[in-house]
Amino acid sequence: MSTTTDRSDLATESPTIDVPALENLLLGRWAEMRRAARAWGADPRLTRIEGQTMAEHRARVLEQLQLLAAEADVLRAFPAALGGKDDHAGSLARFEEFVVSDPSLQIKAGVQWGLFASAILHLGTEEHHRRFLPGAMSVEVPGAFAMTEIGHGSDVASIATTATYDPDAQEFVLHTPFRAGWKDYLGNAGEHGVAAVVFAQLVTTGVNHGVHAFYVPIRDAATMEFLPGVGGEDDGLKGGLNGIDNGRLHFDHVRVPRTNLLNRYGDVAADGTYSSPIASPGRRFFTMLGTLVQGRVSLDGAAVNASKLALIIAITYGNERRQFTAGSDTDEVVLLDYAEHQRRLLPLLAETYASTFAHEELLEAFDRVFSGEEDTDETRENLETMAAALKPTSTWHALRTLQTAREACGGAGFMAENRLTGLRADMDVYVTFEGDNTVLLQLVAKRLLADYAREFKDIDAGGVARFVANRAADAALHRTPLLRAVQTLADGGNVRRSAGQLRDAETQRELLTDRVDTMVAEIANALRPASKASREDAAALFNAHQHELIEAARAHADLLQWKAFTAGLAKVDDAGTRQVLTWLRDLFGLSVIERNLAWYLINGRMSAGRARTVTSYIDRLLARLRPHAQDLVDAFGYGPQHVRATIATGIERERQDEARAYYRAQRASGDAPIAEKLLPRSTDTAIAEPSLGKVPVGTATLKSEATEQTEQTEQTESEAATETRAATETEAVTA
Amino acid sequence: MSTTTDRSDLATESPTIDVPALENLLLGRWAEMRRAARAWGADPRLTRIEGQTMAEHRARVLEQLQLLAAEADVLRAFPAALGGKDDHAGSLARFEEFVVSDPSLQIKAGVQWGLFASAILHLGTEEHHRRFLPGAMSVEVPGAFAMTEIGHGSDVASIATTATYDPDAQEFVLHTPFRAGWKDYLGNAGEHGVAAVVFAQLVTTGVNHGVHAFYVPIRDAATMEFLPGVGGEDDGLKGGLNGIDNGRLHFDHVRVPRTNLLNRYGDVAADGTYSSPIASPGRRFFTMLGTLVQGRVSLDGAAVNASKLALIIAITYGNERRQFTAGSDTDEVVLLDYAEHQRRLLPLLAETYASTFAHEELLEAFDRVFSGEEDTDETRENLETMAAALKPTSTWHALRTLQTAREACGGAGFMAENRLTGLRADMDVYVTFEGDNTVLLQLVAKRLLADYAREFKDIDAGGVARFVANRAADAALHRTPLLRAVQTLADGGNVRRSAGQLRDAETQRELLTDRVDTMVAEIANALRPASKASREDAAALFNAHQHELIEAARAHADLLQWKAFTAGLAKVDDAGTRQVLTWLRDLFGLSVIERNLAWYLINGRMSAGRARTVTSYIDRLLARLRPHAQDLVDAFGYGPQHVRATIATGIERERQDEARAYYRAQRASGDAPIAEKLLPRSTDTAIAEPSLGKVPVGTATLKSEATEQTEQTEQTESEAATETRAATETEAVTA
C-alpha cells in the first residue's frame, strides 16, 4: 500500500532532504547554546526516572538544579559582575532544552532563576542584586515567586496581600487578610524555599500604590521551619510536574526592612513618601510584570521541543509498525502508509515546524529588547503581544501532538517507558500557568483592536463605520482587493490548476491575513456602541463578543507562524530540502485554512468548488510528504539519549523482520499448515456440524448470511479483507 | 455581567427543572442497579487513594475485587446454576458505575469478569463452566485474557501463537514462535494471574482452523511462579490505570488437555478431527469475538460517567469562582457568566446528555440480544455496529471533557485532589483498547457501505451510479427532498425566524441524516472502480478514502446520539424540564452542525446567511442554558462522596464570600486605603520621579504612551478595565 505515495505527482523523482543542513537551520541562531544544553540534557544525572515517588522526584530535581548551577553555565542571564554573561536570549535557549531531560527540571529552574532570581534582577536595584542574587543564582537560597493567590489567579492586580509601611520601624508589614489571599501553586514553597519574592499591595500614608514586589525570608535555612508569622501548606500531588514542590504561603503581620522592597519602579522613603519613575499606576504595573515576559517565551520554546519528541517517537514507530495485509498476502502495511495515519500526524509535523520558526523569531525579539539593542515601549509591547499569541498556540499544540502520538502508538503509547503519557501529564499545566491561554488570547485581541483603532484614528467614527461595513459585510466582500485575488481561482474546478493557486504563497498569505483583518474590523464595529453604553452594558457587549475576540487572536497567531515558516524557507539553500519544506509549509497553511473553511465560505472568500480543492490538495501534500517524514523528524537533531522511548529504538522493526523471516522460512519449508478457508469446498462442507449444546439461534442461518456477506464485499476484495479483519479488532490492546 | 443571561429571550420567565425527576430519567431502566453500585462505589474501601505507589495501588485493587465478589452482587451476569442471575445488562450497568470509585477497579473487574470469565462462559460449554467459572467468579483464580500480541494489536486474526493438536497425547501444544508473538498489555498477567484464556491459531491434521480460545494455567497459585514453559514480563508503569498489573506472556510448547479448548464454536475430536457449527472460518471468528461485545458497551457507559464527574466539578467551581470586575467596582464576575466559559463547557454538557441517552439505548440492545429475547444475526450485528460507533465517540468525548474541565479550573484543576488529571490519565487508554477508536469507526463505515449496497442491490450499477450522482454532486443537490426542506430557510437572514427553523427538530434530523447518507453514497461511488481493479490498486483506492470513511462513521454516531437524545426528550413530563432539555438537545444538534458547517456550505445544504444563524443561535442557547447549568449536573445524581473534589465542595464560595465581606466591612469602616489612581491629578503628578539607577529607555516616554492608551480604550471603559487587568495576568498560576 506504499502505492499511496504513487498519488504524489513527484513520487518517481522525489526530492531529498539535506538533513544535517536542515538540523542546523532549525537549531537557529543559538545553536551552540542548544547543543551544549542537549549534551547536558542527556546526562543520566539529569534525566527523568519514571515511577519515582513524589518525594524522590522532588529531591532529585533539587539536586539537579544545584548541579546545573555549579557546572552547566546556566547563569548566563545574570550580570557579568556576579559571574553571569548578561545573555538573556542564549540563557532561555538553553533552559528550553531541559524539557527533554524532565519538564520538572525545566520548570524548577524556571521558578528559581526565571522568576525568583529574575524578579530580584529586574524589579530590584544594585543593592538588591548584591544582597540577594548570589544566593538565588547558586540555589543556596531556593526561592518562591509568590504572586498568585487562591482567590486571584489571572487577575493579579486584585491580589489581597498587603504590605503596609510603618515609618516608625521603617519596615513593611506583610499581611494576608483572609483565606482567598493565601499565595498558592508556588514552586519551592511546598518544601525547599527559604525565601520568596512576595507581591503585595503597597500601602503607605493611607494610599494603596498597587502591586509591588518584596524580598521575604520564609524559612529558617537550618531547620527548614517557617519563620514567625509565615505559614503554608504543601500542594501535594499534581497531575504532573511532581518534581516540583508547589505550595501555599500566608503572612500574619510579617515585618521586613523598608529596603526589602524591590524598588526599581516604585520606592518608599524613610518618612513614607512614595515615588516612582512611572506616574500612571496601571502603566507602572504593566512595566513591572513586563520584565518577566521571559517565562512565556521559554514555555513556548519548551512546548515546541516537547512536540518534536512526540513526533520523533510516533513517526519512527509508524514507519516500522505493520498491521493488516491489504495489497499483499504476506506483507502487512506499515502504519504510516495508511492515509488516516498520515492525516493524524503530518499536519502536526507541519505545525511543529511552523512553531519552531515562530519561536526563533520570538527569541530574536526577546533578545533585541533584553540586550538593550532595541528597548522601547513599542518593542516591549510587541514582544509581550507576540509571546501572548505564541505561548497559547504552542502549548495547546504540544498537548494535541503528544496525545495524537500516544494514540497513534496504541497500547505501546500508553506505557510509561515510551514517555508520551509522562510528557503529556507534565506539559498539561503549561496551557494555564504563566498566563492562562484563554486570557492571553484576549490580551492579544485587545492589542489588535487598539492597533486597528490607531490605524484609523484620523478618520471620523462614521468613516471607520463605513470602512468596517465595506470590509466586514459578508456578501459585500467582492469589493476588497483580497477577494479579487481569490476570485482569480476561477470556478469550474480544474483541481490541478486551482491547487496550483492554493499552493501559491501569496494566495495563502492573503487568505490568512484577510481573515485576521476582517475579524478584527467586525469586532471593532460590533463593540462601537460600548463607547456610549453604561459600564454594565459595555461589559455585557464585550462579553457577547468574547469568543470572536479569542478566535481573532488565534487567527493572528496562525498568521505569525505561517509568516515565520515562510521566512525560514527563504534561508534554505538546498533545492530538495526547499521543495519538501515548501510542501510542509503549504500543508500548514492549507490545514489552517481547512480548519476555518466555513469562515471563508460564509464570508464569500471561496467558492464551494474551491473549498473542496483545499482538502484534495492537502491529501496530495500528505502523499508527497510521507516519504520524507522520517528525515523531517530526524532533522530535529535529538538522539536516542534524548528520546529514550523503547518503541523508537528500532526494536519494532527487529520484531517485524524476525516474524516475517519466520513465515518466509515456513513457507519455503512447505510444512506450513494450510488455512481452512483455502481447503477445497468439498472438504469445507464436509466439516461436521454437531449441535454443541446451546448454540445461539442466529448461527442456524449463518452459512447463508456468510455467503451474502461475501457477495456484498467481493467487489472490493482487498478492502473487504482489510475491513473484515479490522472488524475482528474486538478485544485488542491493553485490557 | 449576569446580564449575559438577559440575552435569553426567556430570562424573565425562565423555566425550572424538576431535578429528582430528571435524575430518575437519566438513571434509566437499570436505575436500581446503578443506585446500588453507586452506594458501593462510595465505600471508602473501594475509592481511589491518590498518590499510592503502583505496588500499593495494585494490591488494593485486587482486594477490592475480592471484596466485590464476596459482598457486592457483581456476578449477576453468570448462570443462576452457579450463583449468578443470568442478568447481562444489569451487570454491565453496575460495573460502569465503579469508574467513579477508581477506573482501575472498573477495568480490573472488566478483565476478571468481563473478559476472562466471560470467555469461559461464552466460548466454553457446560463442562468448562463447571470446571473453570467458580474460581474465575470468586477471584480465587485471577485470570488474564491473552489475545493481543506485541506484533498484532488490531489485527487479531493474524496472531502468531499456535495451538497444535497432538492426537497421541490428546493435548494441545501452545507455542509462541517469535518475540512479536508474545501476548502483551494483559491485565492480571503482570502479577496476579494464575490462569489465562489464550487465543491461538488452532492447528490439527495440518490444517489451521483459525483463532480459538484455550484455558491455560500460567502460575503456581502457591508460589506465584510461572509454570514450566510459560514466561512473561511485567509491563510496569503506565500512563494511568496503575492499579492493574498489565503484563506479557509467552509459551514454549506448553501442553494443555484437549478439553481445555473452549469448544462452543469449534471442537477437535480425540482423533484430531475438527468440527464446528459454523462452516465459514471468517464468520466463526466473528461470532466468537462478537460474544465479547460487552467490553465496548461497558467502556461506553463508563466514559459517559467520567464525563459527568468532570462537568459536575467544572460547573460547580465555575459557578462559585470569581475573576475580574467588569460591570461593577466591587463584585467580580462568576466564571460561568463569561461567554467563553459557557462556550467551553455547555456544549460538552449537551453531548454528555446525548451520550447518556445513547448509552441507555445501547444497553437495551445489548439486553435484547444477551437475554436471548431477540438474538439473531441481525440484532447481534446491529449491536456490534452500535457499540463500535458509540465507544469511540464517548471515550474521545470523555478525554475532551476532562481536559476542558481541567483547564476551566485553572491551577486548581491540576491538583490531584481535584481528580480531573487522575481521571483523564486513567481514561486515556479507553480510546485505544477494546478496539482502537479509529479502527472501530472504519468497521462502522464498512457496515454503512454494506447497508447502502444492500439497499440498492436490485438497481443495476448504472442506476446506482445515477442515484449517487444525483445525491452527491454538490451543486446538483437542490433536487433532493432534504434540500427543499432546508431551502424553506429562505435567504435574507431574519435571524430570529431562521433560528426558529434551526430549532425545529425535523430540520436538525434532516440535516444530520442527509450528511450521513450523502457521505456514504459518495464513498460507495468513489470505491466502485475497486471492483474491477487489482487487489493492490483496490487497496490503494480504499486507502485514499479512509479519512472520509471515518468521517462518515463519526457523522453516523452523531446522528445516533441526536436521535437518542430526542427520544429521551419524549419521556419528559415536566414542562419546564422539557423546555430546558429541548434547548440542550438543540445545542447538541446545532453544535454538531456548526462543527461540520463547511460541509453543509460546500454541499449546498445551507446558504452563508443560514450558516451564520447557526452560530448566533448557539450563542442564544448558551445564554438560556447558563442559569440551568447547575441543575443539569446535579441531575446526574452523584453526591460529594462520588465527586470527592475539593473545589466542588463549596469551599470556593466560602472563600469568595469571606473576601467580599472583608472588603465590605473595610469600606464601611472608612479606613480602607485610597487607590493611587483615585487621588486628585495634582497629587498624582506631584509624585517624585527620581532616576532610580538603570531605568529602561522606554519608561521615558511612558506617561504620554499611557495617556494615549487611555484615549484609545476609554471608549469602552469597563472592557478596557477587564482587559488591562487580563494583561497583568503575567506570571499567574502554578510556577
Short mmCIF file of all heavy atoms in Angstrom, two decimals, chain A residues 4 148 150 158 187 209 284-285 296 321 433 436 531 543 676 715 725 729-730 733-735, chain B residues 4 148 150 158 187 209 284 296 321 332 433 436 531 543 676 715 725 728-730 733-735:
data_model
loop_
_atom_site.label_atom_id
_atom_site.label_comp_id
_atom_site.label_asym_id
_atom_site.label_seq_id
_atom_site.Cartn_x
_atom_site.Cartn_y
_atom_site.Cartn_z
N THR A 4 0.16 4.47 -1.88
CA THR A 4 -0.37 5.79 -1.55
C THR A 4 0.61 6.84 -2.05
O THR A 4 0.23 7.87 -2.55
CB THR A 4 -0.51 5.95 -0.02
OG1 THR A 4 0.69 5.44 0.58
CG2 THR A 4 -1.73 5.25 0.49
N THR A 148 0.61 34.63 42.60
CA THR A 148 -0.75 34.09 42.52
C THR A 148 -1.35 33.84 43.90
O THR A 148 -0.68 33.34 44.79
CB THR A 148 -0.74 32.77 41.74
OG1 THR A 148 -0.25 33.04 40.43
CG2 THR A 148 -2.13 32.17 41.65
N ILE A 150 -4.94 32.16 45.92
CA ILE A 150 -6.05 31.22 45.69
C ILE A 150 -7.23 31.95 45.06
O ILE A 150 -7.83 31.48 44.11
CB ILE A 150 -6.48 30.57 47.02
CG1 ILE A 150 -5.38 29.66 47.54
CG2 ILE A 150 -7.78 29.80 46.83
CD1 ILE A 150 -5.64 29.06 48.91
N SER A 158 -5.65 42.44 41.49
CA SER A 158 -6.61 42.42 42.60
C SER A 158 -6.14 41.59 43.79
O SER A 158 -6.94 41.30 44.68
CB SER A 158 -7.95 41.88 42.12
OG SER A 158 -8.45 42.68 41.07
N GLY A 187 5.98 27.20 43.15
CA GLY A 187 7.12 26.28 43.16
C GLY A 187 8.08 26.70 44.26
O GLY A 187 8.25 27.89 44.52
N HIS A 209 -0.64 52.04 46.54
CA HIS A 209 0.06 52.33 45.29
C HIS A 209 0.10 51.13 44.35
O HIS A 209 0.85 51.14 43.38
CB HIS A 209 1.47 52.86 45.59
CG HIS A 209 1.46 54.22 46.21
ND1 HIS A 209 1.31 55.37 45.49
CD2 HIS A 209 1.52 54.61 47.52
CE1 HIS A 209 1.31 56.42 46.31
NE2 HIS A 209 1.42 55.97 47.54
N ARG A 284 2.69 51.47 35.36
CA ARG A 284 3.78 51.02 36.24
C ARG A 284 3.67 49.50 36.44
O ARG A 284 4.64 48.76 36.30
CB ARG A 284 3.66 51.73 37.58
CG ARG A 284 4.82 51.52 38.54
CD ARG A 284 4.47 52.13 39.89
NE ARG A 284 4.03 53.52 39.76
CZ ARG A 284 3.09 54.07 40.53
NH1 ARG A 284 2.49 53.35 41.48
NH2 ARG A 284 2.75 55.33 40.36
N PHE A 285 2.43 49.09 36.70
CA PHE A 285 2.15 47.68 36.95
C PHE A 285 2.53 46.85 35.72
O PHE A 285 3.24 45.84 35.80
CB PHE A 285 0.66 47.56 37.26
CG PHE A 285 0.22 46.17 37.61
CD1 PHE A 285 0.62 45.56 38.78
CD2 PHE A 285 -0.62 45.48 36.75
CE1 PHE A 285 0.20 44.28 39.09
CE2 PHE A 285 -1.05 44.20 37.06
CZ PHE A 285 -0.64 43.61 38.24
N ARG A 296 7.01 33.27 29.57
CA ARG A 296 6.18 32.82 28.46
C ARG A 296 7.02 32.43 27.25
O ARG A 296 6.71 31.48 26.55
CB ARG A 296 5.19 33.92 28.07
CG ARG A 296 4.10 34.07 29.08
CD ARG A 296 3.24 35.27 28.82
NE ARG A 296 2.37 35.50 29.97
CZ ARG A 296 1.65 36.58 30.14
NH1 ARG A 296 1.69 37.55 29.24
NH2 ARG A 296 0.89 36.71 31.20
N ARG A 321 6.07 -0.13 12.40
CA ARG A 321 4.95 -0.97 12.81
C ARG A 321 4.10 -1.37 11.61
O ARG A 321 3.79 -0.54 10.77
CB ARG A 321 4.09 -0.15 13.79
CG ARG A 321 2.80 -0.81 14.23
CD ARG A 321 3.07 -1.90 15.22
NE ARG A 321 1.85 -2.35 15.90
CZ ARG A 321 1.85 -3.38 16.73
NH1 ARG A 321 2.97 -4.05 16.98
NH2 ARG A 321 0.75 -3.75 17.35
N PHE A 433 -0.66 27.96 33.19
CA PHE A 433 0.19 28.79 34.05
C PHE A 433 1.01 29.78 33.23
O PHE A 433 0.95 29.76 32.01
CB PHE A 433 1.02 27.97 35.04
CG PHE A 433 2.20 27.19 34.52
CD1 PHE A 433 2.58 27.18 33.18
CD2 PHE A 433 2.96 26.43 35.41
CE1 PHE A 433 3.68 26.46 32.76
CE2 PHE A 433 4.06 25.71 34.99
CZ PHE A 433 4.42 25.72 33.66
N ASP A 436 -2.97 32.16 31.71
CA ASP A 436 -3.94 31.22 31.16
C ASP A 436 -4.09 31.50 29.66
O ASP A 436 -4.26 32.64 29.23
CB ASP A 436 -5.29 31.42 31.87
CG ASP A 436 -6.37 30.55 31.28
OD1 ASP A 436 -6.54 29.42 31.75
OD2 ASP A 436 -7.03 31.00 30.31
N SER A 531 -19.01 52.54 23.56
CA SER A 531 -18.46 53.84 23.96
C SER A 531 -19.54 54.70 24.60
O SER A 531 -19.25 55.51 25.48
CB SER A 531 -17.89 54.55 22.72
OG SER A 531 -18.90 54.65 21.73
N ASN A 543 -18.59 41.00 26.55
CA ASN A 543 -18.71 39.57 26.85
C ASN A 543 -19.39 38.82 25.71
O ASN A 543 -19.00 37.70 25.38
CB ASN A 543 -19.51 39.39 28.15
CG ASN A 543 -19.42 37.97 28.67
OD1 ASN A 543 -18.37 37.34 28.61
ND2 ASN A 543 -20.54 37.46 29.16
N GLU A 676 -7.74 -23.13 6.70
CA GLU A 676 -9.01 -23.83 6.45
C GLU A 676 -9.74 -23.24 5.26
O GLU A 676 -10.28 -23.97 4.42
CB GLU A 676 -9.89 -23.76 7.71
CG GLU A 676 -11.24 -24.45 7.53
CD GLU A 676 -12.18 -24.22 8.71
OE1 GLU A 676 -11.70 -24.15 9.85
OE2 GLU A 676 -13.39 -24.08 8.47
N GLN A 715 -16.74 -7.39 -4.37
CA GLN A 715 -16.44 -6.38 -5.38
C GLN A 715 -15.17 -5.62 -5.05
O GLN A 715 -14.42 -5.21 -5.92
CB GLN A 715 -17.61 -5.40 -5.53
CG GLN A 715 -17.87 -4.56 -4.27
CD GLN A 715 -19.17 -3.79 -4.40
OE1 GLN A 715 -20.24 -4.39 -4.55
NE2 GLN A 715 -19.08 -2.47 -4.36
N ARG A 725 -10.99 -7.83 8.78
CA ARG A 725 -10.08 -8.09 9.89
C ARG A 725 -10.05 -6.94 10.85
O ARG A 725 -9.91 -7.14 12.05
CB ARG A 725 -8.73 -8.45 9.32
CG ARG A 725 -8.92 -9.75 8.54
CD ARG A 725 -7.79 -10.09 7.67
NE ARG A 725 -6.61 -10.42 8.41
CZ ARG A 725 -5.46 -10.64 7.78
NH1 ARG A 725 -5.40 -10.50 6.48
NH2 ARG A 725 -4.40 -10.98 8.46
N GLU A 729 -11.12 -6.71 15.46
CA GLU A 729 -10.28 -5.95 16.35
C GLU A 729 -10.75 -6.07 17.80
O GLU A 729 -10.09 -5.55 18.73
CB GLU A 729 -10.39 -4.50 15.87
CG GLU A 729 -9.15 -3.72 15.98
CD GLU A 729 -9.05 -3.24 17.39
OE1 GLU A 729 -8.88 -4.10 18.25
OE2 GLU A 729 -9.13 -2.05 17.59
N THR A 730 -11.86 -6.74 17.97
CA THR A 730 -12.58 -6.71 19.25
C THR A 730 -11.81 -6.39 20.51
O THR A 730 -11.68 -5.25 20.88
CB THR A 730 -13.32 -8.05 19.47
OG1 THR A 730 -13.91 -8.42 18.23
CG2 THR A 730 -14.41 -7.89 20.51
N VAL A 733 -5.58 -4.88 22.35
CA VAL A 733 -4.85 -3.87 23.11
C VAL A 733 -5.26 -3.83 24.59
O VAL A 733 -6.39 -4.09 24.94
CB VAL A 733 -4.98 -2.47 22.48
CG1 VAL A 733 -3.96 -1.53 23.08
CG2 VAL A 733 -4.78 -2.55 20.97
N THR A 734 -4.27 -3.44 25.39
CA THR A 734 -4.41 -3.39 26.85
C THR A 734 -5.80 -3.68 27.40
O THR A 734 -6.71 -2.92 27.18
CB THR A 734 -4.08 -1.97 27.39
OG1 THR A 734 -3.17 -1.37 26.50
CG2 THR A 734 -3.52 -2.04 28.79
N ALA A 735 -5.96 -4.73 28.11
CA ALA A 735 -7.24 -4.97 28.80
C ALA A 735 -6.99 -5.98 29.90
O ALA A 735 -6.05 -6.74 29.83
CB ALA A 735 -8.27 -5.50 27.84
N THR B 4 -25.42 38.59 30.75
CA THR B 4 -25.36 37.67 29.61
C THR B 4 -26.67 36.90 29.53
O THR B 4 -27.20 36.68 28.47
CB THR B 4 -24.22 36.65 29.78
OG1 THR B 4 -24.27 36.16 31.12
CG2 THR B 4 -22.88 37.27 29.48
N THR B 148 -4.30 -10.10 22.58
CA THR B 148 -3.38 -9.18 21.89
C THR B 148 -1.93 -9.66 21.94
O THR B 148 -1.47 -10.15 22.96
CB THR B 148 -3.46 -7.80 22.57
OG1 THR B 148 -4.79 -7.32 22.44
CG2 THR B 148 -2.51 -6.81 21.91
N ILE B 150 2.20 -8.46 20.84
CA ILE B 150 3.01 -7.27 20.58
C ILE B 150 2.94 -6.92 19.09
O ILE B 150 2.77 -5.77 18.71
CB ILE B 150 4.47 -7.50 21.00
CG1 ILE B 150 4.58 -7.63 22.52
CG2 ILE B 150 5.35 -6.37 20.50
CD1 ILE B 150 5.96 -8.01 23.02
N SER B 158 -4.53 -12.33 12.76
CA SER B 158 -3.16 -12.68 12.35
C SER B 158 -2.24 -13.04 13.50
O SER B 158 -1.02 -13.10 13.31
CB SER B 158 -2.57 -11.49 11.58
OG SER B 158 -3.34 -11.19 10.45
N GLY B 187 -4.12 -7.44 31.38
CA GLY B 187 -4.41 -7.26 32.80
C GLY B 187 -4.31 -8.60 33.50
O GLY B 187 -4.66 -9.63 32.92
N HIS B 209 -7.26 -23.91 11.58
CA HIS B 209 -8.69 -23.58 11.61
C HIS B 209 -8.95 -22.19 12.17
O HIS B 209 -10.09 -21.84 12.48
CB HIS B 209 -9.46 -24.65 12.38
CG HIS B 209 -9.51 -25.97 11.66
ND1 HIS B 209 -10.39 -26.23 10.63
CD2 HIS B 209 -8.73 -27.09 11.78
CE1 HIS B 209 -10.19 -27.45 10.17
NE2 HIS B 209 -9.19 -28.00 10.84
N ARG B 284 -17.15 -17.69 11.71
CA ARG B 284 -16.95 -18.34 13.01
C ARG B 284 -16.17 -17.40 13.92
O ARG B 284 -16.53 -17.18 15.09
CB ARG B 284 -16.18 -19.64 12.79
CG ARG B 284 -16.05 -20.53 14.01
CD ARG B 284 -15.08 -21.66 13.71
NE ARG B 284 -15.44 -22.36 12.48
CZ ARG B 284 -14.55 -22.85 11.62
NH1 ARG B 284 -13.25 -22.72 11.84
NH2 ARG B 284 -14.95 -23.46 10.53
N ARG B 296 -16.99 -3.33 25.03
CA ARG B 296 -17.17 -1.99 24.45
C ARG B 296 -18.38 -1.29 25.02
O ARG B 296 -18.37 -0.08 25.23
CB ARG B 296 -17.31 -2.11 22.93
CG ARG B 296 -16.01 -2.45 22.27
CD ARG B 296 -16.16 -2.76 20.80
NE ARG B 296 -14.90 -3.31 20.32
CZ ARG B 296 -14.75 -3.87 19.14
NH1 ARG B 296 -15.78 -3.95 18.32
NH2 ARG B 296 -13.58 -4.36 18.77
N ARG B 321 -16.47 30.47 41.45
CA ARG B 321 -15.22 31.19 41.25
C ARG B 321 -15.47 32.55 40.61
O ARG B 321 -16.25 32.64 39.65
CB ARG B 321 -14.31 30.35 40.34
CG ARG B 321 -13.03 31.00 39.93
CD ARG B 321 -12.05 31.02 41.06
NE ARG B 321 -10.69 31.34 40.63
CZ ARG B 321 -9.70 31.51 41.50
NH1 ARG B 321 -9.91 31.39 42.79
NH2 ARG B 321 -8.48 31.80 41.07
N GLU B 332 -16.81 40.88 41.58
CA GLU B 332 -16.13 40.25 40.45
C GLU B 332 -17.10 39.29 39.77
O GLU B 332 -18.11 38.89 40.35
CB GLU B 332 -14.88 39.53 40.96
CG GLU B 332 -13.83 40.51 41.49
CD GLU B 332 -12.69 39.82 42.20
OE1 GLU B 332 -12.94 39.23 43.25
OE2 GLU B 332 -11.57 39.86 41.67
N PHE B 433 -7.98 0.87 23.64
CA PHE B 433 -8.13 -0.56 23.94
C PHE B 433 -9.57 -1.03 23.69
O PHE B 433 -10.43 -0.22 23.40
CB PHE B 433 -7.59 -0.95 25.30
CG PHE B 433 -8.34 -0.54 26.53
CD1 PHE B 433 -9.51 0.18 26.48
CD2 PHE B 433 -7.84 -0.89 27.78
CE1 PHE B 433 -10.19 0.52 27.65
CE2 PHE B 433 -8.51 -0.54 28.95
CZ PHE B 433 -9.68 0.16 28.88
N ASP B 436 -9.37 -0.16 18.91
CA ASP B 436 -8.86 1.18 18.66
C ASP B 436 -9.97 2.02 18.02
O ASP B 436 -10.62 1.58 17.07
CB ASP B 436 -7.65 1.10 17.73
CG ASP B 436 -7.15 2.48 17.33
OD1 ASP B 436 -6.30 3.00 18.06
OD2 ASP B 436 -7.65 3.02 16.33
N SER B 531 -13.97 -2.64 -7.81
CA SER B 531 -14.49 -3.97 -8.14
C SER B 531 -13.72 -4.57 -9.32
O SER B 531 -13.54 -5.77 -9.40
CB SER B 531 -15.98 -3.87 -8.47
OG SER B 531 -16.16 -2.93 -9.53
N ASN B 543 -7.67 3.05 0.59
CA ASN B 543 -6.85 3.86 1.50
C ASN B 543 -7.02 5.35 1.21
O ASN B 543 -7.06 6.18 2.12
CB ASN B 543 -5.37 3.47 1.34
CG ASN B 543 -4.50 4.05 2.43
OD1 ASN B 543 -4.90 4.10 3.59
ND2 ASN B 543 -3.33 4.54 2.05
N GLU B 676 -4.25 54.79 44.53
CA GLU B 676 -3.46 55.91 44.00
C GLU B 676 -4.15 56.55 42.80
O GLU B 676 -4.21 57.77 42.69
CB GLU B 676 -2.06 55.41 43.60
CG GLU B 676 -1.17 56.49 43.01
CD GLU B 676 0.13 55.94 42.45
OE1 GLU B 676 0.66 54.97 43.03
OE2 GLU B 676 0.61 56.46 41.42
N GLN B 715 -13.19 54.57 25.37
CA GLN B 715 -14.49 54.40 24.72
C GLN B 715 -15.25 53.21 25.27
O GLN B 715 -16.46 53.22 25.38
CB GLN B 715 -14.33 54.27 23.21
CG GLN B 715 -13.57 53.01 22.78
CD GLN B 715 -13.27 53.04 21.29
OE1 GLN B 715 -12.56 53.92 20.82
NE2 GLN B 715 -13.84 52.11 20.56
N ARG B 725 -6.49 44.38 33.01
CA ARG B 725 -6.09 43.52 34.10
C ARG B 725 -5.80 42.12 33.61
O ARG B 725 -4.90 41.45 34.10
CB ARG B 725 -7.13 43.59 35.17
CG ARG B 725 -7.10 45.05 35.66
CD ARG B 725 -8.24 45.45 36.48
NE ARG B 725 -8.25 44.70 37.72
CZ ARG B 725 -9.28 44.81 38.55
NH1 ARG B 725 -10.30 45.54 38.23
NH2 ARG B 725 -9.26 44.17 39.68
N THR B 728 -2.36 41.82 32.95
CA THR B 728 -1.41 41.72 34.06
C THR B 728 -1.31 40.28 34.55
O THR B 728 -0.70 40.00 35.57
CB THR B 728 -1.92 42.58 35.22
OG1 THR B 728 -3.14 42.00 35.65
CG2 THR B 728 -2.15 43.99 34.76
N GLU B 729 -1.91 39.42 33.81
CA GLU B 729 -2.02 38.02 34.16
C GLU B 729 -0.65 37.34 34.20
O GLU B 729 -0.52 36.18 34.60
CB GLU B 729 -2.88 37.40 33.04
CG GLU B 729 -3.79 36.34 33.50
CD GLU B 729 -3.00 35.10 33.62
OE1 GLU B 729 -2.11 35.06 34.49
OE2 GLU B 729 -3.26 34.18 32.86
N THR B 730 0.36 38.09 33.77
CA THR B 730 1.70 37.54 33.53
C THR B 730 2.05 36.23 34.22
O THR B 730 1.85 35.16 33.67
CB THR B 730 2.77 38.57 33.90
OG1 THR B 730 2.33 39.83 33.39
CG2 THR B 730 4.09 38.22 33.24
N VAL B 733 -0.65 31.74 38.33
CA VAL B 733 -0.90 30.29 38.41
C VAL B 733 0.40 29.45 38.41
O VAL B 733 1.39 29.82 37.80
CB VAL B 733 -1.84 29.82 37.28
CG1 VAL B 733 -2.32 28.41 37.56
CG2 VAL B 733 -3.02 30.77 37.15
N THR B 734 0.28 28.33 39.08
CA THR B 734 1.41 27.40 39.27
C THR B 734 2.71 27.78 38.59
O THR B 734 2.77 27.76 37.38
CB THR B 734 1.05 26.00 38.72
OG1 THR B 734 -0.34 25.81 38.83
CG2 THR B 734 1.80 24.91 39.46
N ALA B 735 3.72 28.07 39.28
CA ALA B 735 5.04 28.28 38.69
C ALA B 735 6.06 28.29 39.83
O ALA B 735 5.72 28.61 40.95
CB ALA B 735 5.11 29.57 37.92
#
